[in-house]
Amino acid sequence: MKALWITWEVQRRNRSMANALNSSYFEFTTSKKGVLRYAELTLKTIKLLYNEKPDVVFAQNPSIVLAFLVVTFKRIFGYVSVVDEHNAGLFPLEGRSIFLKNIARWIVSNSDIVVVTNEPLANMCLEWGGCPVVVPDPLPSFDTKKHYTRIGNKLTLLFICSWAEDEPFYELLEAASMLDSEKYEIRITGRPPNGIEDKCPESVTLLGFVSDEDFISELFGSDAVVVLTNRENCLNCGAYEAVSAGKPGILSNTLSLRNYFHKGFLFTDNSPKDIRRNIEILGSDLVVHSKALENLKGSLVELEAAALDKLKAAVRSKYESSSN
């Protein structure tokens, strides 16, 4: 069974999932913007499908255009379509566009299988007429033999951030302004919007876009992580990265996050005062939370293996039924 994994953006989950599912990995990107970007990546994707003649195609959503393309072309090329649905793919533009909302639902109901990270999203996809399988992110693999230098002498937290709408970064900056900059440093990844520099207190360092290698160095060089979202059913990639690196941290207080990352993390209501309070608590009990995280990592590895086996079985069943 020949399987391809196609994505139009760079994200660690894509590589981890493709590797776990023994799929050939294709990451298409371009410097072009807007219509020219979609035109170039669409042509590359169609050419790949024509040349490779796969039995199964996995595609990440977003891009909603890629997911729509892969689901549409399954009727022409005769493969099983599997869409890896992220929150931004299920709720494009945070649900503000009726047109994109309808496209998102069409993708779910017409793909052979949709992959989501938790049960609430799976139940929603069932209501939309989809065939969901729950697969949390595989824990990423890092080169643990490499020596990573600890960053500074303060309590250093890495805020893993893409500056997206669902991330309460302004609240984080306000919380940072309440911290003693002699004791705490918060280092923030990602390209910030214009004007953010003027809102940063002394305890904050903006890293901007970092390469994969630099991100790993920042992750291992920090004492802990902060990953925040306003989405209820979102399991942040940064939380998986923290578990894999053995870094405790602070996550948003949602049911999905509390249930899955139930050891080694503190949970905040995303208000500045509560974020600051959790940072101070984490700093005073860092060793305890680090040890708890080790136990969590073992249980997540077992859950991951079982979920991947379930997905493989579902894909195999779809492929065999479509071949008969």
Side-chain angles (χ1 to χ4, degrees):
M1 189 170 64
K2 186 176 185 179
L4 310 181
W5 186 288
I6 308 173
T7 177
W8 286 2
E9 64 176 44
V10 179
Q11 195 193 58
R12 197 178 305 279
R13 175 177 166 92
N14 287 302
R15 295 190 290 272
S16 299
M17 289 285 285
N19 182 62
L21 295 165
N22 299 315
S23 301
S24 299
Y25 181 66
F26 295 89
E27 184 178 279
F28 293 146
T29 59
T30 177
S31 59
K32 295 183 174 68
K33 305 293 182 184
V35 175
L36 292 178
R37 174 180 181 271
Y38 290 122
E40 179 180 330
L41 299 186
T42 294
L43 289 174
K44 285 183 177 180
T45 301
I46 294 173
K47 184 178 180 181
L48 175 71
L49 296 173
Y50 178 79
N51 290 337
E52 294 292 329
K53 297 177 175 54
D55 301 308
V56 180
V57 177
F58 297 89
Q60 180 195 319
N61 185 19
S63 163
I64 195 169
V65 176
L66 169 62
F68 180 82
L69 189 72
V70 166
V71 174
T72 300
F73 274 78
K74 72 174 185 175
R75 294 173 174 81
I76 299 173
F77 293 109
Y79 52 75
V80 173
S81 64
V82 185
V83 177
D84 186 34
E85 292 281 8
H86 296 216
N87 285 66
L90 292 168
F91 311 105
L93 295 180
E94 302 298 329
R96 293 191 300 270
S97 169
I98 294 176
F99 174 73
L100 291 180
K101 187 188 298 185
N102 289 333
I103 294 294
R105 292 192 175 205
W106 183 90
I107 290 169
V108 168
S109 62
N110 285 275
S111 182
D112 294 301
I113 296 172
V114 291
V115 181
V116 293
T117 58
N118 55 70
E119 290 295 339
L121 291 180
N123 292 335
M124 186 193 70
C125 289
L126 279 173
E127 292 176 3
W128 292 359
C131 180
V133 177
V134 176
V135 183
D137 285 16
L139 292 178
S141 298
F142 298 117
D143 183 4
T144 54
K145 294 180 182 179
K146 187 174 180 179
H147 176 70
Y148 295 97
T149 305
R150 187 178 181 279
I151 302 168
N153 298 316
K154 308 173 186 180
L155 180 73
T156 304
L157 298 103
L158 182 66
F159 179 29
I160 302 174
C161 181
S162 61
W163 304 92
E165 284 187 63
D166 70 295
E167 296 171 302
F169 47 83
Y170 285 116
E171 290 83 349
L172 184 283
L173 294 178
E174 187 175 340
S177 70
M178 304 176 194
L179 296 170
D180 185 349
S181 61
E182 296 295 319
K183 297 180 180 179
Y184 300 92
E185 181 183 14
I186 301 176
R187 300 168 69 83
I188 308 179
T189 64
R191 291 192 182 96
N194 293 332
I196 284 293
E197 294 87 349
D198 299 332
K199 294 179 170 60
C200 291
E202 289 185 21
S203 56
V204 167
T205 299
L206 296 177
L207 300 172
F209 173 79
V210 292
S211 67
D212 197 55
E213 182 178 353
D214 288 342
F215 173 78
I216 295 171
S217 294
E218 288 285 342
L219 178 61
F220 277 86
S222 299
D223 297 303
V225 304
V226 181
V227 191
L228 303 176
T229 181
N230 289 318
R231 289 175 174 153
E232 179 60 37
N233 296 315
C234 179
L235 298 182
N236 309 86
C237 291
Y240 295 96
E241 291 164 342
V243 172
S244 188
K247 301 294 178 178
I250 298 167
L251 305 176
S252 296
N253 189 20
T254 69
L255 182 62
S256 295
L257 288 169
R258 288 199 313 273
N259 285 346
Y260 198 75
F261 299 102
H262 52 87
K263 293 180 182 178
F265 291 95
L266 298 176
F267 298 92
T268 176
D269 63 14
N270 290 342
S271 69
K273 288 184 179 179
D274 198 55
I275 294 171
R276 181 207 64 188
R277 182 181 68 85
N278 277 283
I279 289 173
E280 292 173 342
I281 293 172
L282 183 64
S284 66
D285 248 345
L286 197 63
V287 174
V288 172
H289 290 293
S290 296
K291 289 181 178 179
L293 197 67
E294 294 176 10
N295 296 327
L296 175 67
K297 186 174 181 178
S299 64
L300 294 190
V301 169
E302 294 178 4
L303 285 173
E304 170 193 317
L308 286 169
D309 285 344
K310 185 177 180 180
L311 176 58
K312 290 175 183 177
V315 171
R316 171 65 66 178
S317 176
K318 288 285 185 181
Y319 171 69
E320 289 176 351
S321 63
S322 65
S323 300
N324 294 333

Coordinates of all heavy atoms in Angstrom, one line a residue, residues 12-13 15-17 19-20 137-146 148 212-213 215-216 219-220 237 240-246 297 301 304 308:
R12 N 5.9 20.3 12.9 CA 6.6 19.1 13.4 C 5.6 17.9 13.3 O 6.0 16.7 13.1 CB 7.1 19.3 14.8 CG 8.1 18.2 15.2 CD 8.6 18.5 16.6 NE 9.1 19.9 16.8 CZ 10.3 20.2 16.4 NH1 11.1 19.3 15.9 NH2 10.7 21.5 16.5
R13 N 4.3 18.1 13.6 CA 3.3 17.0 13.6 C 3.3 16.3 12.2 O 3.2 15.0 12.2 CB 1.9 17.5 13.9 CG 0.8 16.4 13.8 CD -0.5 16.9 14.2 NE -1.6 16.0 13.8 CZ -2.1 15.0 14.6 NH1 -1.6 14.8 15.8 NH2 -3.1 14.2 14.1
R15 N 5.7 15.8 10.1 CA 6.9 14.9 9.9 C 6.8 13.6 10.9 O 7.1 12.5 10.5 CB 8.2 15.6 10.2 CG 8.5 16.7 9.2 CD 9.9 17.3 9.4 NE 10.0 18.1 10.6 CZ 9.7 19.4 10.7 NH1 9.3 20.0 9.6 NH2 9.9 20.1 11.8
S16 N 6.3 13.9 12.1 CA 6.2 12.8 13.0 C 5.1 11.8 12.6 O 5.3 10.6 12.7 CB 5.8 13.4 14.4 OG 6.8 14.2 14.9
M17 N 4.0 12.3 12.1 CA 2.9 11.4 11.7 C 3.3 10.7 10.4 O 3.0 9.4 10.3 CB 1.6 12.2 11.4 CG 1.0 12.8 12.7 SD 0.1 11.5 13.6 CE -1.4 11.3 12.5
N19 N 6.2 9.8 9.4 CA 7.2 8.8 9.8 C 6.5 7.6 10.5 O 6.8 6.4 10.3 CB 8.2 9.4 10.7 CG 9.3 8.4 11.1 OD1 10.0 7.9 10.3 ND2 9.4 8.2 12.4
A20 N 5.6 7.9 11.4 CA 4.9 6.8 12.2 C 4.0 6.0 11.3 O 3.8 4.8 11.6 CB 4.0 7.5 13.3
D137 N -0.9 14.1 18.8 CA 0.4 14.2 18.1 C 1.4 13.1 18.6 O 1.5 12.9 19.9 CB 1.0 15.5 18.4 CG 0.4 16.7 17.6 OD1 -0.7 16.4 17.1 OD2 1.0 17.8 17.5
P138 N 2.1 12.5 17.8 CA 3.2 11.6 18.3 C 4.3 12.5 18.9 O 4.5 13.6 18.5 CB 3.8 11.0 17.0 CG 2.7 11.1 16.0 CD 2.0 12.4 16.3
L139 N 4.8 12.1 20.0 CA 5.8 12.9 20.7 C 7.0 13.0 19.8 O 7.5 12.0 19.3 CB 6.3 12.2 22.0 CG 5.2 12.2 23.1 CD1 5.8 11.4 24.3 CD2 4.8 13.6 23.5
P140 N 7.5 14.2 19.5 CA 8.6 14.3 18.6 C 9.9 13.8 19.2 O 10.1 13.7 20.4 CB 8.7 15.9 18.4 CG 8.1 16.4 19.7 CD 7.1 15.5 20.1
S141 N 10.8 13.4 18.3 CA 12.1 12.8 18.7 C 13.2 13.9 18.6 O 13.3 14.6 17.6 CB 12.5 11.6 17.8 OG 11.6 10.6 18.0
F142 N 13.9 14.1 19.7 CA 15.0 15.0 19.7 C 16.3 14.3 19.9 O 16.4 13.2 20.5 CB 14.8 16.1 20.8 CG 13.6 16.9 20.6 CD1 12.6 16.9 21.6 CD2 13.4 17.8 19.5 CE1 11.4 17.7 21.4 CE2 12.3 18.5 19.4 CZ 11.3 18.5 20.3
D143 N 17.4 14.9 19.5 CA 18.8 14.3 19.7 C 19.2 14.6 21.1 O 19.7 15.7 21.4 CB 19.8 14.9 18.7 CG 21.1 14.3 18.8 OD1 21.3 13.4 19.6 OD2 22.1 14.8 18.1
T144 N 18.9 13.7 22.0 CA 19.2 13.9 23.4 C 20.7 13.7 23.8 O 21.1 14.1 24.9 CB 18.4 12.9 24.3 OG1 18.7 11.5 23.8 CG2 16.9 13.2 24.2
K145 N 21.5 13.2 22.8 CA 22.9 13.1 23.0 C 23.6 14.5 22.9 O 24.7 14.7 23.4 CB 23.5 12.1 22.1 CG 23.0 10.7 22.3 CD 23.6 9.7 21.3 CE 23.1 8.3 21.6 NZ 23.7 7.3 20.6
K146 N 23.0 15.4 22.2 CA 23.6 16.7 21.9 C 23.5 17.5 23.2 O 22.6 17.4 24.0 CB 22.8 17.4 20.8 CG 23.5 18.7 20.4 CD 22.8 19.3 19.2 CE 23.4 20.6 18.7 NZ 22.8 21.1 17.5
Y148 N 23.0 20.8 25.2 CA 22.3 22.0 25.1 C 22.7 22.9 26.3 O 22.6 22.4 27.5 CB 20.8 21.8 25.1 CG 20.4 21.1 23.8 CD1 20.1 19.7 23.9 CD2 20.2 21.7 22.6 CE1 19.8 19.0 22.7 CE2 19.8 21.1 21.5 CZ 19.6 19.7 21.5 OH 19.2 19.0 20.4
D212 N 14.6 25.4 13.0 CA 14.3 24.2 13.8 C 15.4 23.9 14.8 O 15.1 23.6 16.0 CB 14.0 23.0 12.9 CG 13.3 21.8 13.5 OD1 12.2 22.1 14.1 OD2 13.9 20.7 13.5
E213 N 16.6 24.0 14.4 CA 17.8 23.7 15.2 C 17.8 24.7 16.4 O 18.0 24.3 17.5 CB 19.0 23.8 14.4 CG 20.3 23.5 15.2 CD 21.6 23.5 14.4 OE1 21.4 23.6 13.2 OE2 22.6 23.4 15.0
F215 N 15.3 26.4 17.6 CA 14.1 26.2 18.5 C 14.4 25.1 19.5 O 14.1 25.2 20.7 CB 12.9 25.8 17.7 CG 11.7 25.4 18.5 CD1 10.9 26.3 19.2 CD2 11.4 24.0 18.7 CE1 9.9 25.9 20.0 CE2 10.4 23.6 19.5 CZ 9.6 24.5 20.2
I216 N 15.0 24.0 19.0 CA 15.4 22.9 19.9 C 16.4 23.3 21.0 O 16.3 23.0 22.1 CB 15.9 21.7 19.1 CG1 14.8 21.1 18.2 CG2 16.4 20.6 20.0 CD1 15.3 20.1 17.2
L219 N 14.4 25.3 23.5 CA 13.6 24.4 24.3 C 14.4 23.7 25.4 O 14.0 23.8 26.5 CB 12.9 23.4 23.3 CG 12.0 22.4 24.0 CD1 10.8 23.0 24.7 CD2 11.5 21.4 23.0
F220 N 15.5 23.1 25.0 CA 16.3 22.4 25.9 C 17.1 23.4 26.9 O 17.5 23.0 28.0 CB 17.3 21.5 25.2 CG 16.7 20.2 24.8 CD1 16.0 20.0 23.6 CD2 16.8 19.1 25.7 CE1 15.4 18.8 23.3 CE2 16.2 17.9 25.3 CZ 15.5 17.7 24.1
C237 N 0.8 21.9 19.9 CA 2.0 21.1 19.5 C 3.1 21.4 20.5 O 3.9 20.5 20.8 CB 2.5 21.6 18.1 SG 1.4 21.0 16.8
Y240 N 3.3 19.0 23.4 CA 4.0 17.7 23.1 C 5.5 17.9 23.1 O 6.2 17.0 23.5 CB 3.5 17.2 21.7 CG 2.0 16.8 21.6 CD1 1.1 17.7 21.2 CD2 1.6 15.6 22.0 CE1 -0.2 17.4 21.0 CE2 0.3 15.2 21.9 CZ -0.7 16.1 21.4 OH -2.0 15.8 21.3
E241 N 5.9 19.0 22.5 CA 7.4 19.2 22.4 C 8.0 19.3 23.8 O 9.1 18.8 24.1 CB 7.6 20.5 21.6 CG 7.3 20.3 20.1 CD 7.1 21.6 19.3 OE1 6.9 22.6 20.0 OE2 7.2 21.5 18.1
A242 N 7.3 20.0 24.7 CA 7.7 20.1 26.1 C 7.8 18.8 26.8 O 8.8 18.5 27.4 CB 6.8 21.0 26.9
V243 N 6.8 17.9 26.6 CA 6.9 16.6 27.2 C 8.1 15.8 26.7 O 8.8 15.2 27.4 CB 5.6 15.8 26.9 CG1 5.7 14.4 27.4 CG2 4.4 16.5 27.6
S244 N 8.3 15.8 25.4 CA 9.4 15.1 24.8 C 10.7 15.6 25.3 O 11.6 14.8 25.5 CB 9.3 15.2 23.2 OG 10.2 14.3 22.6
A245 N 10.8 16.9 25.5 CA 12.1 17.5 26.0 C 12.2 17.4 27.5 O 13.3 17.8 28.0 CB 12.2 18.9 25.5
G246 N 11.2 16.9 28.2 CA 11.2 16.8 29.6 C 11.1 18.2 30.3 O 11.7 18.4 31.4
K297 N 5.1 11.2 30.3 CA 5.7 10.8 29.0 C 5.5 9.3 28.7 O 5.1 9.0 27.6 CB 7.2 11.2 29.0 CG 7.8 11.0 27.7 CD 9.3 11.5 27.7 CE 9.9 11.3 26.3 NZ 11.3 11.8 26.3
V301 N 3.3 7.8 25.5 CA 3.8 6.9 24.5 C 2.9 5.7 24.2 O 2.7 5.3 23.1 CB 5.3 6.5 24.9 CG1 5.7 5.3 24.0 CG2 6.2 7.6 24.8
E304 N -0.2 6.9 22.3 CA 0.2 7.2 21.0 C 0.2 6.0 20.1 O -0.3 5.9 19.0 CB 1.5 7.9 21.0 CG 2.2 8.1 19.6 CD 3.6 8.5 19.7 OE1 3.9 9.4 20.6 OE2 4.5 8.0 19.0
L308 N -2.3 5.2 16.9 CA -1.7 5.0 15.6 C -2.1 3.6 15.0 O -2.4 3.5 13.8 CB -0.2 5.1 15.6 CG 0.4 6.5 15.7 CD1 1.8 6.5 16.0 CD2 0.1 7.3 14.5

